[in-house]
């Protein structure tokens, strides 16, 4: 999760919502990514989808059934769906997302009768993740007031 937080900080530095993600198999870091929606002009360029895509390329398979996705913010429906489609059995996230969280906050996508029902765990380095998000959005709001 520390590496995911590094990615989230990089996202903030680039003007992106500070979310970072990594895919790990055992002790091997397969991929790392951060949000790139703004810079890539791509609504699907969330940290999770980018990390999953890179991990699939690295292992040479679209199935990541022996991997864990670590992410600094609870995945949205698109990202939770991508993890399920990649057969990721475990998702660990730092902070809950009451507006768009699809692991437990808004709804539980993993409880639907799909091909994979990942175990979702929350709270790992939650304070650090929330601090990054809070600082980013506070600065964003202050910037809008000046305009």
């Amino acid at each position: 999760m520390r590496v995911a937080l590094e990615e989230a900080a990089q996202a903030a530095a680039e003007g992106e919502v500070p979310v970072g993600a990594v895919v790990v198999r055992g002790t091997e870091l397969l991929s790392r990514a951060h949000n790139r929606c703004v810079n890539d002009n791509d609504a699907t360029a969330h940290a999770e989808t980018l990390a999953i895509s890179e991990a699939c390329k690295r292992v040479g398979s679209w199935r990541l059934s022996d991997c864990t996705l670590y992410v600094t913010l609870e995945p949205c429906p698109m990202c939770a769906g991508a993890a399920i489609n990649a057969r990721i059995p475990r998702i660990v996230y730092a902070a809950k997302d009451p507006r768009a969280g699809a692991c437990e906050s808004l709804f539980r996508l993993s409880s639907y009768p799909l091909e994979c029902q990942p175990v979702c765990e929350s709270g790992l380095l939650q304070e650090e993740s929330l601090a990054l998000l809070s600082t980013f959005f506070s600065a964003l709001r202050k910037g809008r007031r000046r305009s």
Side-chain angles (χ1 to χ4, degrees):
M1 188 64 80
R2 291 257 177 237
V3 176
L5 281 168
E6 290 172 11
E7 288 292 321
Q10 181 63 37
E14 294 174 9
E16 300 277 354
V17 174
V19 177
V22 299
V23 176
V24 176
R25 180 173 56 191
T27 59
E28 179 185 13
L29 177 66
L30 295 177
S31 63
R32 58 189 293 166
H34 57 272
N35 277 0
R36 297 212 31 90
C37 296
V38 174
N39 291 312
D40 290 358
N41 290 314
D42 182 352
T44 67
H46 289 199
E48 301 95 321
T49 59
L50 296 171
I52 290 168
S53 181
E54 181 60 33
C56 289
K57 289 175 188 170
R58 183 145 182 220
V59 301
S61 174
W62 61 272
R63 289 186 177 103
L64 301 174
S65 57
D66 55 353
C67 297
T68 299
L69 172 66
Y70 290 89
V71 61
T72 59
L73 184 64
E74 182 179 4
C76 70
M78 175 183 70
C79 294
I84 289 168
N85 285 338
R87 309 300 195 263
I88 295 175
R90 182 173 174 234
I91 301 170
V92 179
Y93 61 93
K96 292 180 181 180
D97 184 352
R99 291 182 162 189
C103 287
E104 67 178 319
S105 293
L106 190 59
F107 62 94
R108 296 175 193 263
L109 191 58
S110 62
S111 69
Y112 286 77
L114 303 169
E115 292 295 321
C116 175
Q117 295 177 327
V119 172
C120 295
E121 302 170 32
S122 65
L124 181 61
L125 301 180
Q126 176 179 322
E127 290 78 22
E128 291 91 334
S129 179
L130 289 172
L132 269 173
L133 289 160
S134 178
T135 299
F136 176 81
F137 285 112
S138 177
L140 189 64
R141 284 189 298 275
K142 285 179 184 173
R144 285 186 183 155
R145 287 186 191 133
R146 290 185 200 145
S147 300

